[in-house]
Amino acid sequence: MDIMGAVTYGILWSVMALGVFMTYRVLNYSDLTVEGSYTTGGSVGAILITMGVNPFLASLAAFGAGCAAGWGTSLLHNKLKIPGLLAGILSMTALWSVNLHIMGKANIALIREETVFTIFERAFGLSKTYSVFVCGLLIVLIIVLLLWAFLNTEIGYALRATGNNEVMIRSLGVNTEKTKAIGLILCNGLVALAGSLICQYQKFADISMGTGVIVIGLASVIIGEVLIGRRSVLANIIAVVVGAVIYRFIVALVLWLGLPPNDLKLFTAIIVALCLALPYIKDVVLTNINNRKSEKEQC
């Protein structure tokens, strides 16, 4: 089993998981736009790289494209009053055609193209595996610090308060439409950036690459919370990164043990379901234990 490869893959996926964290946990908003914006980031980054654009600039452009997708969802939800879940589905559906127009075809190969990882590899003389690991780790570290700093600003507090109690924070004069828009824009920007980075790592972009990423993102968030817990803002952010790495390690382990790749999505769904049900299962078990103790004491 390639442990180094699984950890490296998990680090890159954690960028996407951090985007999902921004809506699912911070805003308490389930945004399905990410399944389209992930592909948008990959397609924008791939097409620009094939046109000779610097990979770092192409990745920033992918981030901007994801932000635009999140802004579109916020308009549907805030201005047209479309429910959040449905607004995300509409954006995801529309982005399928948008992504096809961006790429001009179903997939783009980057086998002979320069990427952020090859630049890093050449600059520091590292092997291919370690260059991706170190470069990805630096990118994630920068994002974690920036996200932590942002969530501790006035806007960040308003964003968190909107997710905790939207009615109360609106009564205090906060424009919740603005905070939701900021959260959706930042979420999809990070997801699109992850799409661009993973495309450069895999050396190709495909129109269907975003299918199921919301489940992977949720799995990463929930696994991290189960293992580390929800404490401070920084601890929550780090938990997402750890959860993404552990998730990819579990996937690599299961595939190494012989699980058919066709069953991988089913396995992911089962992991998420178990993690979501874990608090309930824990309460049921503790309740049964306490009841038995009470019965013994009465006897």
Side-chain angles (χ1 to χ4, degrees):
M1 183 177 65
D2 185 7
I3 297 177
M4 188 65 181
V7 173
T8 301
Y9 215 178
I11 288 172
L12 296 179
W13 273 107
S14 69
V15 178
M16 182 274 298
L18 287 170
V20 174
F21 166 78
M22 285 299 298
T23 50
Y24 181 69
R25 274 295 178 238
V26 177
L27 270 184
N28 195 24
Y29 182 109
S30 299
D31 182 28
L32 290 180
T33 311
V34 298
E35 298 223 352
S37 60
Y38 178 83
T39 307
T40 300
S43 59
V44 169
I47 197 68
L48 289 177
I49 288 174
T50 57
M51 293 171 61
V53 177
N54 183 281
F56 288 99
L57 293 178
S59 299
L60 288 177
F63 175 81
C67 290
W71 177 70
T73 302
S74 72
L75 289 180
L76 293 175
H77 178 61
N78 292 329
K79 302 303 180 184
L80 300 181
K81 305 305 177 184
I82 297 175
L85 187 62
L86 184 55
I89 293 173
L90 290 173
S91 295
M92 175 185 68
T93 304
L95 285 172
W96 180 277
S97 295
V98 172
N99 296 333
L100 277 175
H101 282 293
I102 292 172
M103 292 194 292
K105 50 186 177 181
N107 49 67
I108 297 176
L110 299 174
I111 297 176
R112 299 181 180 179
E113 303 293 340
E114 187 107 286
T115 66
V116 294
F117 306 116
T118 57
I119 292 175
F120 200 86
E121 178 183 349
R122 188 170 60 251
F124 294 94
L126 298 172
S127 65
K128 180 181 179 180
T129 302
Y130 282 100
S131 66
V132 177
F133 173 77
V134 175
C135 183
L137 193 62
L138 287 175
I139 292 172
V140 170
L141 180 60
I142 293 170
I143 292 173
V144 165
L145 292 176
L146 290 176
L147 202 56
W148 173 63
F150 169 74
L151 289 175
N152 282 289
T153 62
E154 185 176 346
I155 297 176
Y157 283 125
L159 202 68
R160 290 154 58 187
T162 300
N164 288 331
N165 194 326
E166 182 179 348
V167 176
M168 183 197 72
I169 198 66
R170 191 187 296 121
S171 67
L172 296 176
V174 175
N175 187 342
T176 55
E177 289 189 359
K178 180 180 178 181
T179 55
K180 284 184 179 180
I182 293 172
L184 287 168
I185 289 170
L186 188 56
C187 161
N188 287 281
L190 288 173
V191 170
L193 176 61
S196 176
L197 292 174
I198 291 174
C199 278
Q200 293 177 59
Y201 176 54
Q202 295 178 335
K203 293 289 188 177
F204 72 92
D206 187 82
I207 189 62
S208 62
M209 61 184 284
T211 304
V213 296
I214 182 66
V215 179
I216 296 173
L218 290 175
S220 302
V221 172
I222 295 167
I223 290 172
E225 288 179 352
V226 168
L227 294 177
I228 297 179
R230 300 176 64 183
R231 302 171 186 175
S232 64
V233 175
L234 183 59
N236 291 344
I237 294 173
I238 293 174
V240 175
V241 178
V242 173
V245 173
I246 292 175
Y247 168 77
R248 292 308 312 183
F249 180 79
I250 292 173
V251 169
L253 177 62
V254 170
L255 291 175
W256 180 70
L257 291 175
L259 178 76
N262 291 339
D263 295 335
L264 188 57
K265 297 293 184 183
L266 175 62
F267 175 73
T268 301
I270 292 172
I271 290 178
V272 175
L274 288 175
C275 290
L276 285 171
L278 192 60
Y280 171 74
I281 296 172
K282 182 180 178 181
D283 290 339
V284 170
V285 171
L286 290 176
T287 301
N288 289 333
I289 292 174
N290 292 331
N291 289 338
R292 290 178 181 178
K293 286 182 178 180
S294 298
E295 291 175 358
K296 290 181 178 179
E297 290 176 356
Q298 291 175 358
C299 294

